């Protein structure tokens, strides 16, 4: 089998800017804050999913990616490729960091359908892939899950991209998660709600609010109104799509500490949950998952972002809270 175009194999894609997967509408970046536009250029959550015929020895991927600095103490980990089959990690392959390279990932002889997680922090761009002694085909589509949030959704401080809570919950529920988490962002930016409205998806999760405590401080009244406006714009494109609102998870320093506008994270969380409850009275497809009980201090790596155990707990809670059954995937 010769080299194949990677696009039919890509999953977790929101938009393509030329050949590069991006996470905000490339024709509508001027309305976004610069930090969100910058984070949207990273292909967080973008994966390669394929079915290998029995006897296929490996998948070979040609790609471009940022090379780590020579003094980077984690340079050897920067180009790590994780291979999963369902909910089971098959193995990890480490490539020598280079601006353009070819990596060969061994496959089990029995074949099957696999997910290859890329080193997303290095801005990887798949160029082509091919089978070694066998054949590959794009994996069957799964229901698309649009997941909007902040750095916690983006997967910060999970040790591998595959360990972030959207990736793990997607495996548990058989979904195609499209990670629209933006570190430092997810402050209720209404243009992003319009982006979500234009994206195809069979289920949606909104998980924001913690950055409304400090990064861009808000009041409970503002957050209540913003949640209602955000959902209203999303509903223009998805009037009956199952939608789960996840309120902020534990952040010990913020729970009872007023921000510059006098609001604690506890008060902001309550405002977000009240907005969800009020919206749900007229929206039977909208659901709320309160975030505060889901994590304990030992599940936080730095007092804010979950460690791997915390991401696992979030994934299990969200996977359980997502409605069942889901609509079929969009072709």
């Amino acid at each position: 089998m010769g080299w194949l175009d990677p696009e039919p194999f890509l999953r977790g894609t929101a938009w393509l800017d030329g050949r590069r997967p991006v996470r905000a509408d490339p024709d509508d970046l001027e309305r976004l804050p610069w930090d969100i536009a910058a984070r949207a250029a990273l292909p967080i959550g973008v994966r390669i999913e394929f079915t290998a015929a029995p006897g296929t020895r490996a998948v070979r991927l040609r790609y471009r990616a940022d090379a780590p600095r020579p003094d980077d103490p984690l340079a050897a980990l920067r180009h790590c490729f994780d291979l999963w089959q369902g909910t089971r990690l098959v193995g990890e392959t480490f490539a020598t960091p280079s601006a353009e390279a070819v990596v060969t990932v061994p496959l089990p002889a029995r074949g099957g359908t696999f997910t290859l997680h890329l080193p997303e922090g290095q801005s990887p761009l798949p160029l082509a892939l091919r089978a070694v002694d066998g054949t590959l085909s794009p994996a069957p589509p799964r229901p698309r899950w649009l997941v909007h949030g902040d750095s916690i959704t983006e997967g910060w401080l999970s040790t591998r991209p595959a360990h972030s809570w959207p990736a793990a919950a997607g495996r548990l529920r058989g979904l195609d998660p499209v990670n629209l988490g933006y570190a430092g962002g997810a402050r209720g930016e209404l243009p992003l709600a319009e982006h979500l409205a234009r994206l195809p998806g069979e289920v949606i999760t909104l998980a924001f609010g913690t950055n409304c405590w400090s990064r861009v401080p808000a009041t409970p009244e503002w957050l209540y109104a913003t949640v209602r406006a955000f959902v209203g714009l999303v509903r223009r494109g998805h009037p009956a799509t199952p939608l789960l609102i996840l309120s902020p998870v534990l952040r010990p320093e913020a729970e009872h500490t007023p921000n510059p506008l006098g609001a604690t994270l506890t008060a902001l969380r309550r405002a977000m949950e009240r907005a969800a409850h009020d919206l749900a009275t007229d929206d039977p497809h909208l659901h709320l998952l309160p975030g505060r009980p889901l994590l304990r201090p030992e599940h936080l790596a730095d007092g804010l972002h979950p460690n791997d155990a915390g991401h696992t707990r979030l994934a299990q809670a969200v996977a359980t809270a997502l409605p069942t059954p889901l609509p079929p995937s969009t072709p």
Side-chain angles (χ1 to χ4, degrees):
M1 175 177 280
W3 289 103
L4 301 171
D5 181 353
E7 185 174 335
F9 296 84
L10 294 179
R11 300 293 185 268
T13 54
W15 291 269
L16 292 175
D17 187 5
R19 299 182 63 187
R20 182 174 292 279
V22 294
R23 300 184 302 123
D25 187 343
D27 295 326
D28 193 23
L29 294 181
E30 71 276 1
R31 293 197 297 151
L32 298 180
W34 71 267
D35 56 344
I36 291 179
R39 297 305 300 181
L42 286 174
I44 304 297
V46 175
R47 316 168 302 285
I48 291 175
E49 296 193 354
F50 59 91
T51 298
T56 305
R57 291 199 301 113
V59 57
R60 188 163 288 158
L61 175 68
R62 185 159 54 88
Y63 69 98
R64 294 193 188 112
D66 294 341
R69 302 184 312 274
D71 60 346
D72 186 344
L74 299 178
L77 300 177
R78 295 305 185 197
H79 286 204
C80 175
F81 295 79
D82 278 4
L83 184 72
W84 288 73
Q85 187 170 33
T87 58
R88 183 176 68 91
L89 174 63
V90 177
E92 293 186 328
T93 300
F94 295 87
T96 301
S98 176
E100 184 167 335
V102 175
V103 61
T104 301
V105 179
L107 300 176
R110 64 184 176 275
T113 298
F114 301 92
T115 297
L116 183 63
H117 286 268
L118 311 175
E120 57 190 27
Q122 304 305 117
S123 299
L125 175 63
L127 300 174
L129 72 160
R130 66 187 302 174
V132 177
D133 295 338
T135 59
L136 304 176
S137 59
R142 295 180 286 158
R144 277 168 56 92
W145 175 29
L146 309 180
V147 193
H148 171 67
D150 48 38
S151 57
I152 297 172
T153 297
E154 213 182 60
W156 275 38
L157 300 193
S158 62
T159 57
R160 297 287 190 274
H163 296 169
S164 72
W165 72 260
R171 287 193 296 272
L172 291 172
R173 287 299 302 270
L175 300 174
D176 174 12
V178 178
N179 192 312
L180 302 172
Y182 310 99
R187 305 176 292 256
E189 299 86 355
L190 297 184
L192 290 176
E194 295 181 307
H195 287 199
L196 280 165
R198 295 195 290 268
L199 278 176
E202 284 70 56
V203 62
I204 301 169
T205 295
L206 307 178
F208 63 89
T210 194
N211 286 329
C212 297
W213 175 70
S214 60
R215 186 168 176 86
V216 178
T219 65
E221 296 78 13
W222 180 92
L223 187 56
Y224 175 87
T226 297
V227 170
R228 292 182 65 97
F230 198 100
V231 171
L233 289 173
V234 171
R235 282 298 192 216
R236 295 181 68 181
H238 297 277
T241 301
L243 191 155
L244 176 69
I245 293 178
L246 171 62
S247 64
V249 298
L250 173 68
R251 185 175 179 178
E253 66 165 342
E255 294 297 331
H256 305 293
T257 303
N259 68 10
L261 295 177
T264 65
L265 184 60
T266 298
L268 293 170
R269 183 185 296 112
R270 289 173 179 165
M272 189 172 187
E273 293 174 357
R274 182 163 55 89
H277 281 301
D278 291 351
L279 286 165
T281 59
D282 297 315
D283 187 343
H285 303 289
L286 188 146
H287 310 272
L288 170 68
L289 176 60
R292 174 61 182 83
L294 302 182
L295 300 181
R296 297 192 296 269
E298 62 266 28
H299 300 128
L300 302 176
D302 61 353
L304 170 60
H305 301 96
N307 53 28
D308 279 351
H311 277 282
T312 296
R313 286 178 64 93
L314 281 179
Q316 293 169 339
V318 172
T320 300
L322 289 172
T324 303
L326 292 173
S329 60
T330 301

